[in-house]
Amino acid sequence: MAEKPKVVILGAGFGGLWAARKLANRPVDILLVDKNNYHTFLPLLYQVAAAELEPERIAQPVRYLIRDQANLNFRMGAVTAITPAEKTIAVDGEPIGYDYLIVALGSTTAFFGVPGAEEHCFTLKSIDEGIEMRNHILRTIEAASNEPDPAKQAEMLTFVIVGGGATGVEYAGALAELIYQPLEKDYPRVNLKKLARVILIEAGSQLLSGIDEGNYTAERLKKIGVDVRLNTKVASVEADRVNLAEGEPVLADTVLWAAGIQGQPVVKSAGVELTRGSQFEVLETLQSEDYPEMFVVGDLIRFMQDGEPLINTAQVAMQSGEVAAENIMALINQKPLENFRYYDKGMMATIGRNAAVANIGGRHFTGFFAWLIWLFIHLFFLIGFRNRIGVLTNWAWNYLFYERVVRLVMPLDSSKRESERATEKKSARQPA
Amino acid sequence: MAEKPKVVILGAGFGGLWAARKLANRPVDILLVDKNNYHTFLPLLYQVAAAELEPERIAQPVRYLIRDQANLNFRMGAVTAITPAEKTIAVDGEPIGYDYLIVALGSTTAFFGVPGAEEHCFTLKSIDEGIEMRNHILRTIEAASNEPDPAKQAEMLTFVIVGGGATGVEYAGALAELIYQPLEKDYPRVNLKKLARVILIEAGSQLLSGIDEGNYTAERLKKIGVDVRLNTKVASVEADRVNLAEGEPVLADTVLWAAGIQGQPVVKSAGVELTRGSQFEVLETLQSEDYPEMFVVGDLIRFMQDGEPLINTAQVAMQSGEVAAENIMALINQKPLENFRYYDKGMMATIGRNAAVANIGGRHFTGFFAWLIWLFIHLFFLIGFRNRIGVLTNWAWNYLFYERVVRLVMPLDSSKRESERATEKKSARQPA
């Protein structure tokens, strides 16, 4: 058969996957690349870190999702280079050519150069990090239950979350409910209600800015036991404390940094100009200014709309992924390209049990009704019918019995060491 | 209140947990120690390694299981020493005294000194190893799908299982069904039906000896595509092959060693005589000959009954755990101790879809009926109502849609490195 144009899509997140689906049954050969063999439903990652959901619940095997797409092949591996000047990318060092490229590699955490933050803080941007956070919380409380020194115990039982956006707020609420409900029952000999503290630090004056207005979110979090500190800047982080720009340092062994994102480092290899946050300033068609066959979507774009930079949500990733796919077909068929315009279907976040805030078309909803909307929207968008059932089961169980069903310290390590092990095979292994 | 006798139970497996429950509401102070914060339902571990069940499904938080037991405390940590001469044990190096001790640490894999086996083989004795096996299988097939050299590809797609006992047989069946059904569909560009091989090697002439008689099991495995080799001895294992005592070596990158068990190494520190397999030759009361206040249960005992050594099953662990608990109360109350006698409720194993063998009271059942028995018994004994629902859902899904729902390469590492990380905290971490 005739050579079809080769489209390479980097990343199987919302941007890459939605682009791949848009290209189904089109006359192109697609290679989808991701370092994991699964797609991650990141909006619920915080529930993995809070022992509410099994990691498997928010992951779907990519090959399963693309089974019906005959024109698509999947490659599991790390993108190690992007070389638009030569129309090639590299997977685990092996160069692969393309006719059209969609860069959808997403983002990692930005620490804004705060001393000690990168070294000492946990982050919540991947399933690995979610499992690690969960394990650490459970292991720390387990250790604290045997800690004789009250000062040290207090330090172990203080959990600081930096950043009052959706991740920070949702995790603060989930963590407080985990500690003050099921774990409180698990540790009858430790007074967690009295000793454990969850502190949410936000530099600005508003939590969930862009979603909430006023102080509903802060009030709600306080009600479930979160110590909310607005207008508070983090000066530096040490192994056992968070130093603030003003006032006393917070003594804590556990700090989650949820205060910012930046593009995946590998995009620097593309040799095009990037923002300080390693994002692309793309054309309105989502093309790179320098390389019209290279499209960028999702968290990797800094896109101005109506004079405002878009907040890089899952919605932005899905919509930009689809537009990039359509524009590639337009290029192939020499049709005019369409400009990307984000249609805001609304933004929302939960604040623990029965409470959420939503901004839908400029209208703000709070409380139980918003929480129900949140529930249904997330179930609806969760990929895989089976996972929907599973998540719903967990949620129902957690809700009815005030439980958190995944209080398991299960091992993991960095995908880096994993892939090493993959190459050197079992030879490194010793019996447990 | 008066000092109650202190009972320390090492291990929260079937032996330790059943002993702990038997001592509920008795006038003793119990400390239960386990290196994990969860109890593992090992009979279904092979399904985790075959991507049928999420690891969380066969694990239950220990503190959740013992919540209602006011006389019991839990300590998460590795047992580093057993010193019956001083009536102490050590957890992570910290000595803890006891009045009565139940050693229920279970077993690890025995390699019988076969050269290269320990270095190159996977094992299936813990959730970590189950996840690692699953990850390796999925990652290897993913890599093989991009392997240009046919010889190398064949080697990557050959999976050898050594040992024709329950673990080996059940995993061979589950692995064949994983590869020849859902993965076959996942890899339309690789002919797994033709290229992938699952080989089960057994030194003896009978699979599932003690459960099955005749060759039903072997026939059944052949039917689902397993290459069964009886009367075949493994001479040595290398990174890319299994050398047999007679005939051609088997070229394979993946070898699972399921051919034997031995007691956890730490029991050697007890300074009492052990069998070659690091098991205790206990009195009929399950007491150590040298230390009457030390009881040993489960996989750690070599127990002769009717002139035959017992096969160390979950049943043996539960029953011996309960007898040890009762005998401790008898010692405290200066009553006569009872002798342990294993009551065989039956043994069974599955051989893939719709097939199992069972030996119940000497009667042998095979086929669909045995499979149904297996299904219900395992659901019944699975701890935690929620997990029962979850497992049933997965099974129904897998059964109805010929799927395997957990085809996810999720990272893990040895619990050793985990606990290291726990101590050095996040400082070692680098952003992904």
Side-chain angles (χ1 to χ4, degrees), chain A residues 61-107:
Chain A
V62 174
R63 287 189 179 273
Y64 175 74
L65 294 170
I66 64 176
R67 251 188 205 169
D68 311 330
Q69 245 174 284
N71 67 337
L72 195 157
N73 194 13
F74 174 69
R75 174 73 179 268
M76 180 180 173
V79 175
T80 49
I82 301 170
T83 323
E86 297 159 11
K87 287 196 181 184
T88 65
I89 58 101
V91 177
D92 296 327
E94 176 196 327
I96 295 172
Y98 64 81
D99 298 313
Y100 301 95
L101 179 68
I102 297 178
V103 184
L105 290 165
S107 59

Side-chain angles (χ1 to χ4, degrees), chain B residues 149-296:
Chain B
D149 171 8
K152 178 63 186 166
Q153 190 182 45
E155 180 185 304
M156 294 167 88
L157 291 175
T158 303
F159 303 94
V160 176
I161 296 157
V162 181
T167 302
V169 165
E170 291 188 310
Y171 191 60
L175 184 59
E177 289 189 337
L178 168 68
I179 292 173
Y180 297 132
Q181 286 163 13
L183 292 186
E184 170 74 19
K185 288 182 244 161
D186 279 357
Y187 295 89
R189 299 169 193 221
V190 187
N191 188 345
L192 286 179
K193 276 215 166 39
K194 183 166 153 295
L195 296 171
R197 299 193 303 158
V198 177
I199 303 172
L200 178 64
I201 295 177
E202 163 59 33
S205 60
Q206 174 69 57
L207 295 178
L208 297 176
S209 67
I211 305 177
D212 189 19
E213 56 190 4
N215 54 12
Y216 173 83
T217 304
E219 290 310 319
R220 190 77 206 179
L221 284 175
K222 285 172 191 162
K223 195 174 261 162
I224 54 179
V226 177
D227 175 354
V228 178
R229 306 202 184 169
L230 299 171
N231 306 303
T232 305
K233 286 197 173 50
V234 172
S236 67
V237 182
E238 300 175 44
D240 66 342
R241 70 191 56 205
V242 177
N243 298 309
L244 307 175
E246 294 165 4
E248 288 296 300
V250 180
L251 298 183
D253 282 2
T254 306
V255 185
L256 172 68
W257 189 270
I261 68 162
Q262 61 184 355
Q264 289 287 356
V266 66
V267 298
K268 298 197 179 95
S269 64
V272 306
E273 208 185 313
L274 300 171
T275 67
R276 269 178 59 247
S278 297
Q279 291 174 310
F280 293 78
E281 309 248 28
V282 288
L283 303 173
E284 286 191 283
T285 56
L286 299 174
Q287 290 167 292
S288 149
E289 290 184 349
D290 317 82
Y291 304 101
E293 68 282 350
M294 176 167 82
F295 292 77
V296 187

Side-chain angles (χ1 to χ4, degrees), chain A residues 181-182 185 353 397-404, chain B residues 67:
Chain A
Q181 287 164 13
K185 289 182 243 161
R353 193 181 186 77
W397 196 270
N398 295 336
Y399 187 83
L400 295 172
F401 303 109
Y402 290 82
E403 280 297 348
R404 290 297 178 264
Chain B
R67 252 187 203 169

Side-chain angles (χ1 to χ4, degrees), chain B residues 171-422:
Chain B
Y171 191 60
L175 184 59
E177 289 189 337
L178 168 68
I179 292 173
Y180 297 132
Q181 286 163 13
L183 292 186
E184 170 74 19
K185 288 182 244 161
D186 279 357
Y187 295 89
R189 299 169 193 221
V190 187
N191 188 345
L192 286 179
K193 276 215 166 39
K194 183 166 153 295
L195 296 171
R197 299 193 303 158
V198 177
I199 303 172
L200 178 64
I201 295 177
E202 163 59 33
S205 60
Q206 174 69 57
L207 295 178
L208 297 176
S209 67
I211 305 177
D212 189 19
E213 56 190 4
N215 54 12
Y216 173 83
T217 304
E219 290 310 319
R220 190 77 206 179
L221 284 175
K222 285 172 191 162
K223 195 174 261 162
I224 54 179
V226 177
D227 175 354
V228 178
R229 306 202 184 169
L230 299 171
N231 306 303
T232 305
K233 286 197 173 50
V234 172
S236 67
V237 182
E238 300 175 44
D240 66 342
R241 70 191 56 205
V242 177
N243 298 309
L244 307 175
E246 294 165 4
E248 288 296 300
V250 180
L251 298 183
D253 282 2
T254 306
V255 185
L256 172 68
W257 189 270
I261 68 162
Q262 61 184 355
Q264 289 287 356
V266 66
V267 298
K268 298 197 179 95
S269 64
V272 306
E273 208 185 313
L274 300 171
T275 67
R276 269 178 59 247
S278 297
Q279 291 174 310
F280 293 78
E281 309 248 28
V282 288
L283 303 173
E284 286 191 283
T285 56
L286 299 174
Q287 290 167 292
S288 149
E289 290 184 349
D290 317 82
Y291 304 101
E293 68 282 350
M294 176 167 82
F295 292 77
V296 187
V297 302
D299 283 5
L300 280 172
I301 57 172
R302 186 167 184 283
F303 196 85
M304 301 299 289
Q305 184 163 301
D306 308 332
E308 292 270 317
L310 284 182
I311 304 172
N312 300 82
T313 62
Q315 280 296 323
V316 169
M318 296 174 187
Q319 293 179 28
S320 57
E322 295 193 335
V323 168
E326 288 298 353
N327 280 345
I328 284 175
M329 293 318 297
L331 278 182
I332 292 171
N333 304 323
Q334 287 150 23
K335 297 258 171 62
L337 277 58
E338 76 179 281
N339 287 341
F340 172 60
R341 178 163 182 83
Y342 170 59
Y343 168 63
D344 184 356
K345 291 181 179 163
M347 295 193 292
M348 46 183 48
T350 43
I351 318 163
R353 193 180 186 80
N354 295 345
V357 292
N359 174 350
I360 297 166
R363 289 189 54 201
H364 291 269
F365 303 87
T366 61
F368 187 70
F369 176 66
W371 183 71
L372 285 181
I373 300 176
W374 181 92
L375 226 62
F376 287 116
I377 298 238
H378 281 74
L379 273 182
F380 179 78
F381 278 105
L382 186 62
I383 293 172
F385 175 64
R386 205 193 120 267
N387 276 355
R388 279 188 204 133
I389 297 176
V391 169
L392 195 57
T393 318
N394 280 25
W395 284 353
W397 197 270
N398 295 335
Y399 186 84
L400 295 173
F401 304 108
Y402 291 81
E403 281 296 348
R404 292 297 178 264
V405 293
V406 200
R407 302 194 297 284
L408 310 165
V409 180
M410 288 212 177
L412 89 169
D413 67 357
S414 77
S415 32
K416 193 189 128 297
R417 213 173 133 276
E418 260 296 306
S419 46
E420 275 172 22
R421 173 186 294 149

Side-chain angles (χ1 to χ4, degrees), chain A residues 429-432, chain B residues 35 108-109 123 126 128-129 264-265 414-416:
Chain A
R429 293 175 63 242
Q430 295 303 331
Chain B
K35 68 175 192 298
T108 176
T109 303
T123 52
S126 70
D128 308 14
E129 294 174 356
Q264 289 287 356
S414 77
S415 32
K416 193 189 128 297

Side-chain angles (χ1 to χ4, degrees), chain A residues 348-395:
Chain A
M348 45 183 48
T350 43
I351 317 162
R353 193 181 186 77
N354 295 346
V357 292
N359 174 350
I360 297 167
R363 289 190 53 201
H364 291 268
F365 303 87
T366 61
F368 186 70
F369 176 65
W371 183 72
L372 285 181
I373 300 177
W374 181 94
L375 225 63
F376 287 116
I377 297 231
H378 282 73
L379 272 182
F380 179 78
F381 278 105
L382 187 62
I383 292 170
F385 175 63
R386 206 193 119 268
N387 276 357
R388 278 188 206 136
I389 296 174
V391 169
L392 194 58
T393 317
N394 279 27
W395 283 352

Side-chain angles (χ1 to χ4, degrees), chain A residues 36-38 54-57 59-61 63-64 67 70-76 108 111 118-123 127-129 131-132 134-136 138-139 142 145-146 182-183 185-189 239-240 253-255 264 385-386 389 393-394 397 403 405-415 417-418 421-422 425-427 429-432, chain B residues 36-38 54-57 59-61 63-64 67 70-76 108 111 118-123 127-129 131-132 134-136 138-139 142 145-146 182-183 185-187 189 239-240 253-255 264 385-386 389 393-394 397 403 405-415 417-419 421-422 425-427 429-432:
Chain A
N36 295 318
N37 78 328
Y38 52 85
E54 297 87 356
E56 291 79 4
R57 289 269 167 265
Q60 273 282 339
R63 287 189 179 273
Y64 175 74
R67 251 188 205 169
N71 67 337
L72 195 157
N73 194 13
F74 174 69
R75 174 73 179 268
M76 180 180 173
T108 175
F111 298 95
E118 183 165 347
E119 186 190 352
H120 296 297
C121 291
F122 284 91
T123 52
I127 279 190
D128 308 14
E129 294 175 356
I131 299 172
E132 180 163 29
R134 179 193 74 189
N135 286 347
H136 173 79
L138 296 171
R139 192 184 297 105
E142 192 65 51
S145 72
N146 290 304
L183 293 186
K185 289 182 243 161
D186 279 358
Y187 295 88
R189 300 170 192 219
D240 67 342
D253 282 1
T254 307
V255 184
Q264 289 289 353
F385 175 63
R386 206 193 119 268
I389 296 174
T393 317
N394 279 27
W397 196 270
E403 280 297 348
V405 292
V406 200
R407 303 196 296 284
L408 309 165
V409 181
M410 289 214 175
L412 90 168
D413 67 358
S414 78
S415 31
R417 211 172 134 280
E418 260 295 306
R421 173 185 292 145
K425 275 221 344 291
K426 307 119 331 194
S427 38
R429 293 175 63 242
Q430 295 303 331
Chain B
N36 295 318
N37 78 328
Y38 52 85
E54 297 88 355
E56 291 80 3
R57 289 268 167 265
Q60 275 281 338
R63 287 190 178 272
Y64 175 74
R67 252 187 203 169
N71 66 337
L72 194 156
N73 194 12
F74 174 69
R75 174 73 178 268
M76 180 180 172
T108 176
F111 298 94
E118 183 165 347
E119 184 189 354
H120 295 297
C121 291
F122 284 91
T123 52
I127 279 190
D128 308 14
E129 294 174 356
I131 300 172
E132 180 163 29
R134 179 193 73 190
N135 287 347
H136 173 79
L138 297 172
R139 193 183 295 105
E142 191 65 51
S145 72
N146 291 303
L183 292 186
K185 288 182 244 161
D186 279 357
Y187 295 89
R189 299 169 193 221
D240 66 342
D253 282 2
T254 306
V255 185
Q264 289 287 356
F385 175 64
R386 205 193 120 267
I389 297 176
T393 318
N394 280 25
W397 197 270
E403 281 296 348
V405 293
V406 200
R407 302 194 297 284
L408 310 165
V409 180
M410 288 212 177
L412 89 169
D413 67 357
S414 77
S415 32
R417 213 173 133 276
E418 260 296 306
S419 46
R421 173 186 294 149
K425 275 224 339 293
K426 302 116 342 191
S427 38
R429 294 176 63 241
Q430 297 302 331

